[in-house]
Amino acid sequence: MSEYAFEMQGVEKSYQHFQLSNLDLKLQKGTIMGFIGPNGAGKSTTIRILMGLIQQDSGNVDVLGKSMPLEQVEAKWGIGYASEDMRLYEKGTIQWHMDFVKSIFPAWDDNYAKTLLKRFDLIPQQKIKGLSHGQRVKAGLLMVLAKKPKLLILDEPTTGLDPVARHEVLNELMDVMLDDDRSILFSSHNTQDVEQLSDLITFIDKGKIIESKDKESFLQSWRRIRMNLAQGATLAKLQGVVEQRQVGRQIIVTANGFTDEMADTYKKCGAEITAVENMTLEEIFVSEVLSSRQSSNSNLNRQGA
Amino acid sequence: MPTDFILSQTDGRPMYLQIMEQIKSRISVGDWPSGKKIPSIRELAAATKVSVITVKRAYQELESEGVIVTQHGKGSFIAETGNLSTKLKEQEMDKHLQQAIEIARSLGLSVTDLQKRLSDLSGSKSSQSSEEK
């Protein structure tokens, strides 16, 4: 058995105005990956390819050891997929939906489903028509979680949820991780959710993976450095510096891969370091996207010249 | 197993440091004695709603500091080191002293200046208390 819940290699998909290019992505079993990107970055396209809902133009996609989209029927026994626009039948009750999913998936866990009903504060006799947005999202997740999938793929699971519902949903996701054979991929633009839960973080922008690595290394390598510069002194241009802002003699540098040597170089330039700050995942994400766009723009300019 | 850790989202420190500190404080107050089995990484991750990799990092750091030991296949335990809680308190004190040294440096004070200040401070306290008598 592969150690990965899924593996995508060299995946390409072209549309008239959008292109997913040379996408490599894999998820180790037993881990949660947060998939972050701005609107239109390619998150949903990637997820739909993983689900076999659309076919890649080229490249290999393996999900739970099955080749997609060819063996998607086999793969789907083990996948739980929930997205924002997933619809339940308006006229059916929650119980009707539970019975329906149970009739298809033998792995359905009745006890767990009952527990989830209680935890999500849902009434089984209620029709979907009368549910609020939050209740619909929770009902949809219940259908997915109770069949105990090996791989959970969630497209924006917390969008539009109130803080209490969000908390309940995130709790359930972490309980899935008690089993080290199960994995989760969830896309979000709420970086706070992702920062807390994810083992791995992947940033995507304009159809390209910008970065994909474990969360601790992300948080470890990015720093914001505040300095006061001596009169007349100028700061050396160092590698890894993504942004440098100066107001009077105060300078704020944002750097990826900040080291003590860099601090020493700055001191030699005549800068007094007043603070070295950690950055939140949101700040790191914005910096990653901006620096990736800058470098692709400068490549374009060079090509143009 | 009591795993009601409460981690702060607004605390500027990384999550793994917060987890380390909460474990250490449980040891120093005596709630978690030497040799006690502590929750597995996945159990603590699920209980604190923090990713597995973050808890793993906290456990690795605690292991390298000698606070916990991990036995493969059996789980993690509080180290059987003698007076671990005293050691942790000493570490805590050293951390504060380290901060004092840094502030002293930014004021242009040497370590000797700082030592003098420290003995003045503790001296003035004891002289105050002797006056009160």
Side-chain angles (χ1 to χ4, degrees), chain A residues 29-31 167 170-172 174-175 177-182 192 195-200 214-216 219-220 272 278, chain B residues 7 9 12-17 40-58 61 106:
Chain A
K29 281 183 184 163
T31 57
H167 183 79
L170 297 181
N171 278 1
E172 284 319 310
M174 279 316 288
D175 276 358
M177 297 319 287
L178 278 170
D179 185 345
D180 61 11
D181 196 28
R182 303 177 70 188
Q192 203 198 340
E195 176 163 2
Q196 192 170 345
L197 299 187
S198 305
D199 298 306
L200 299 158
D214 76 273
K215 178 184 65 186
E216 290 296 324
L219 298 176
Q220 188 76 14
E272 182 208 350
N278 295 329
Chain B
L7 302 176
Q9 289 278 2
R13 291 166 312 161
M15 284 285 177
Y16 82 92
L17 279 181
S40 75
I41 291 173
R42 275 179 195 277
E43 280 166 358
L44 192 60
T48 52
K49 316 302 165 202
V50 166
S51 61
V52 171
I53 195 171
T54 302
V55 180
K56 200 185 260 174
R57 167 119 196 244
E61 304 262 336
S106 75

Side-chain angles (χ1 to χ4, degrees), chain A residues 8 10-23 42 45-46 48-49 53-59 206-207:
Chain A
M8 303 176 91
V11 171
E12 312 252 345
K13 178 80 189 172
S14 286
Y15 292 102
Q16 198 183 351
H17 298 291
F18 176 77
Q19 197 181 5
L20 210 58
S21 42
N22 198 20
L23 191 110
T45 306
T46 307
R48 287 193 189 122
I49 291 175
L53 294 173
I54 49 177
Q55 183 167 3
Q56 65 272 25
D57 297 337
S58 59
K206 297 183 189 267

Side-chain angles (χ1 to χ4, degrees), chain A residues 57-273:
Chain A
D57 297 337
S58 59
N60 289 327
V61 180
D62 244 55
V63 179
L64 298 172
K66 306 287 175 214
S67 172
M68 302 296 267
L70 214 64
E71 301 173 290
Q72 55 170 303
V73 176
E74 288 97 316
K76 278 175 185 166
W77 290 115
I79 309 177
Y81 169 69
S83 78
E84 243 187 316
D85 53 4
M86 205 165 63
R87 304 267 167 82
L88 301 173
Y89 294 104
E90 293 279 314
K91 285 181 182 163
T93 61
I94 293 178
Q95 187 64 52
W96 181 86
H97 282 85
M98 287 166 58
D99 294 341
F100 178 64
V101 178
K102 183 183 170 181
S103 71
I104 301 168
F105 290 92
W108 179 269
D109 184 335
D110 263 329
N111 285 328
Y112 186 42
K114 271 181 205 144
T115 314
L116 283 173
L117 277 174
K118 231 178 258 161
R119 286 197 194 152
F120 283 168
D121 202 13
L122 296 169
I123 303 158
Q125 292 78 28
Q126 202 169 355
K127 282 187 180 160
I128 303 302
K129 201 164 55 180
L131 298 183
S132 70
H133 172 72
Q135 287 169 323
R136 281 170 198 233
V137 172
K138 288 193 284 188
L141 270 172
L142 183 149
M143 306 303 156
V144 170
L145 286 168
K147 59 181 195 186
K148 299 262 177 156
K150 286 284 176 217
L151 172 63
L152 261 172
I153 298 181
L154 307 171
D155 202 353
E156 304 275 349
T158 56
T159 303
L161 293 185
D162 66 68
V164 177
R166 226 185 87 230
H167 183 79
E168 290 166 343
V169 167
L170 297 181
N171 278 1
E172 284 319 310
L173 296 190
M174 279 316 288
D175 276 358
V176 169
M177 297 319 287
L178 278 170
D179 185 345
D180 61 11
D181 196 28
R182 303 177 70 188
S183 325
I184 303 179
L185 171 75
F186 80 107
S187 79
S188 183
H189 32 234
N190 185 336
T191 50
Q192 203 198 340
D193 291 349
V194 177
E195 176 163 2
Q196 192 170 345
L197 299 187
S198 305
D199 298 306
L200 299 158
I201 309 260
T202 299
F203 289 145
I204 185 170
D205 187 43
K206 297 183 189 267
K208 285 198 181 95
I209 303 280
I210 307 177
E211 187 74 89
S212 179
K213 58 181 179 184
D214 76 273
K215 178 184 65 186
E216 290 296 324
S217 337
F218 260 121
L219 298 176
Q220 188 76 14
S221 79
W222 284 88
R223 290 289 181 270
R224 186 169 40 229
I225 306 102
R226 295 178 191 273
M227 293 174 276
N228 295 329
L229 200 58
Q231 201 119 38
T234 43
L235 219 51
K237 290 220 180 332
L238 297 181
Q239 219 180 357
V241 172
V242 171
E243 195 188 25
Q244 188 165 320
R245 257 193 265 176
Q246 183 159 9
V247 183
R249 279 167 54 191
Q250 288 192 322
I251 293 190
I252 299 174
V253 164
T254 308
N256 185 3
F258 188 69
T259 59
D260 289 344
E261 287 84 66
M262 288 170 81
D264 287 340
T265 313
Y266 281 147
K267 281 178 197 156
K268 278 179 198 145
C269 292
E272 182 208 350
I273 296 178

